[in-house]
Amino acid sequence: MDFVDTCVIGGGVIGLAIARALAAAVPDVLVVDQAASIGQGISSRNSEVIHAGIYYPADSLKARLCVEGGRQLYEYCQSHGVAHQRCGKLIVAADVTEEAALLNIQDLASVNGVNLSIWSGAQVTDAQAHIRASMALFSPLTGIVSAHDLMQSLLADLEQRGGSFVGSTRVEAIEAVDGGFVVLCQADGAEYRFGCRSVINAAGLGAQVLAGSCKGLDPVHIPPLYLCKGLYFSLKGKHPFKHLIYPVPEASGAGLGVHATLDLGGRVKFGPNVEYVDEADYSVPEARREDYFQAIRRYYPQIEKARLVPDYAGIRPKLQAPGGQPADFVIQGPSVHGLIGLVNLFGIESPGLTAALAIADYVHTDILGY
Ligand SMILES: Cc1cc2nc3c(=O)[nH]c(=O)nc-3n(C[C@H](O)[C@H](O)[C@H](O)COP(=O)(O)OP(=O)(O)OC[C@H]3O[C@@H](n4cnc5c(N)ncnc54)[C@H](O)[C@@H]3O)c2cc1C
């Protein structure tokens, strides 16, 4: 039977970042993915925002890893030529009734070490004449990144450190054995197995099923998964946006409201909304246009409905049940489940892209301890 030191299951931004970090410490790190190439899952269907770490509860993994990950990500993008832009973001109160919520956000952010400045409605109009706000918070650290460029760069680093990626390979089962694991895969209709010392389950939407296939892992450690869809509409033609524009977040904590995000090609898109679904489907129904139009016109009154076109959708791997309490990332190692060498990552929704490099360090040093 073939043997590698570490098998990372999932070639999204999280698996690639972890594999790259581990490859600096151990000899052969293999990333496997059921898709033919890297980044075909959640990592290619998101807003590509580098978050500052504003909304997450103090001391949560989301807060810590987002703030640290964002700092590392800017440095990484600069040193590795990954396309990005620190364009800043405005969180806008549409009227005075929303201003108290902004002040709460400012307090929460400052506990996380993130400074947001208050802008008056007039300052907002000076900077972005088309935006209507009674008050706003400005986040200078927020930016955008090309997720695809980032993943390509992480893969190049991994390969340079002696690691590799194998696509079109679905992991069907994992078995804990003496001194490590046996991984059972399907590739091109054939089954094969190999041994490894460590397994990193970074399978995104597939993390729970994969953990459930792990012989020796007590299912009590597998949190329920809730699929939560987010749709995007883009704006046809020219637009006046310079900063990202966010409304006050939804009270449920499930989403940040239908916001305006720029991409590196200069386009603006609106979304994502929050829709819990039973199955992952990526359609963007025309019928949602009216809801988007109504949400956007609260801060961008000149929006023309006919210029909103259905774009793409992503699915969040939420641990927060519909109507339930917001949940943190769950990153489990042997101290939780008792299997030395196994790391499970559950619920890596936003800000996972921002936090990827810090998540990798956390898995490497805090969970595996090498
Ligand atoms: C709508 C939306 C907007 C978002 N916006 C942002 C944002 O602006 N900023 C931000 O920081 N974060 C954002 N996020 C979060 C971010 O996109 C994710 O945290 C991150 O991409 C998760 O990466 P991943 O590697 O865990 O998952 P994935 O990219 O899905 O990778 C997991 C991989 O595992 C593979 N896999 C699954 N099961 C198996 C198996 N059994 N065998 C082999 N392979 C398997 C899949 O094919 C997949 O490629 C957003 C997410 C969504 C859904």
Side-chain angles (χ1 to χ4, degrees):
M1 186 165 63
D2 290 333
F3 190 88
V4 295
D5 184 276
T6 302
C7 172
V8 176
I9 304 165
V13 71
I14 302 298
L16 290 169
I18 294 171
R20 168 186 177 269
L22 295 180
V26 295
D28 45 0
V29 177
L30 174 69
V31 179
V32 296
D33 201 299
Q34 62 196 3
S37 53
I38 61 166
Q40 299 302 304
I42 311 167
S43 301
S44 59
R45 293 175 166 276
N46 57 63
S47 303
E48 299 189 300
V49 172
I50 303 177
H51 289 296
I54 296 170
Y55 309 96
Y56 316 109
D59 294 329
S60 61
L61 282 179
K62 283 185 178 174
R64 275 172 47 203
L65 298 174
C66 180
V67 171
E68 174 56 19
R71 189 190 62 70
Q72 288 191 30
L73 184 55
Y74 278 119
E75 274 180 21
Y76 184 87
C77 289
Q78 259 151 24
S79 59
H80 289 72
V82 173
H84 71 292
Q85 195 187 323
R86 199 180 300 220
C87 50
K89 132 174 168 178
L90 283 167
I91 310 170
V92 296
D95 55 44
V96 286
T97 63
E98 293 186 347
E99 291 181 4
L102 283 193
L103 298 178
N104 287 339
I105 292 170
Q106 190 188 33
D107 286 347
L108 186 57
S110 77
V111 176
N112 292 342
V114 180
N115 291 320
L116 304 176
S117 45
I118 294 182
W119 285 17
S120 66
Q123 275 173 296
V124 173
T125 314
D126 278 352
Q128 294 266 245
H130 59 292
I131 296 297
R132 188 180 65 193
S134 66
M135 188 174 120
L137 294 174
F138 182 65
S139 165
L141 276 184
T142 304
I144 50 177
V145 61
S146 160
H148 184 73
D149 269 21
L150 174 62
M151 288 188 280
Q152 287 293 351
S153 181
L154 294 172
L155 176 62
D157 290 351
L158 170 68
E159 289 174 343
Q160 207 207 346
R161 291 172 181 182
S164 51
F165 170 79
V166 177
S168 306
T169 302
R170 180 177 170 77
V171 176
E172 299 288 350
I174 305 164
E175 187 179 353
V177 294
D178 258 2
F181 300 86
V182 172
V183 178
L184 175 69
C185 306
Q186 279 271 355
D188 291 331
E191 253 189 14
Y192 74 102
R193 57 187 70 220
F194 60 90
C196 58
R197 184 168 67 102
S198 301
V199 171
I200 314 296
N201 171 3
L205 295 166
Q208 274 84 346
V209 171
L210 192 63
S213 80
C214 181
K215 244 195 221 166
L217 178 71
D218 187 336
V220 77
H221 301 301
I222 307 174
L225 168 71
Y226 302 95
L227 304 180
C228 183
K229 187 170 174 181
L231 312 177
Y232 295 86
F233 277 74
S234 51
L235 191 65
K236 230 175 12 184
K238 283 195 171 164
H239 67 80
F241 290 87
K242 285 188 286 194
H243 305 300
L244 311 183
I245 307 290
Y246 284 55
V248 166
E250 294 167 28
S252 67
L256 297 181
V258 172
H259 44 271
T261 310
L262 300 166
D263 69 20
L264 289 154
R267 290 182 335 142
V268 69
K269 58 187 184 287
F270 296 96
N273 67 345
V274 174
E275 296 183 12
Y276 280 88
V277 291
D278 294 329
E279 280 172 18
D281 97 87
Y282 295 97
S283 60
V284 183
E286 289 268 353
R288 298 286 189 286
R289 182 185 277 117
E290 181 63 27
D291 292 350
Y292 274 65
F293 175 65
Q294 295 301 342
I296 298 161
R297 69 197 294 228
R298 296 195 70 220
Y299 57 85
Y300 178 30
Q302 287 148 27
I303 177 87
E304 294 163 57
K305 204 192 306 185
R307 286 178 60 204
L308 282 175
V309 286
D311 202 325
Y312 65 98
I315 308 280
R316 306 169 181 90
K318 274 203 180 285
L319 303 182
Q320 175 183 4
Q325 288 300 309
D328 202 1
F329 293 153
V330 170
I331 304 178
Q332 295 172 343
S335 68
V336 174
H337 53 59
L339 296 179
I340 292 169
L342 175 69
V343 181
N344 286 317
L345 295 104
F346 298 116
I348 311 298
E349 55 168 329
S350 192
L353 177 65
T354 307
L357 296 173
I359 290 175
D361 284 351
Y362 180 72
V363 167
H364 181 184
T365 49
D366 295 56
I367 305 278
L368 290 172
Y370 53 76

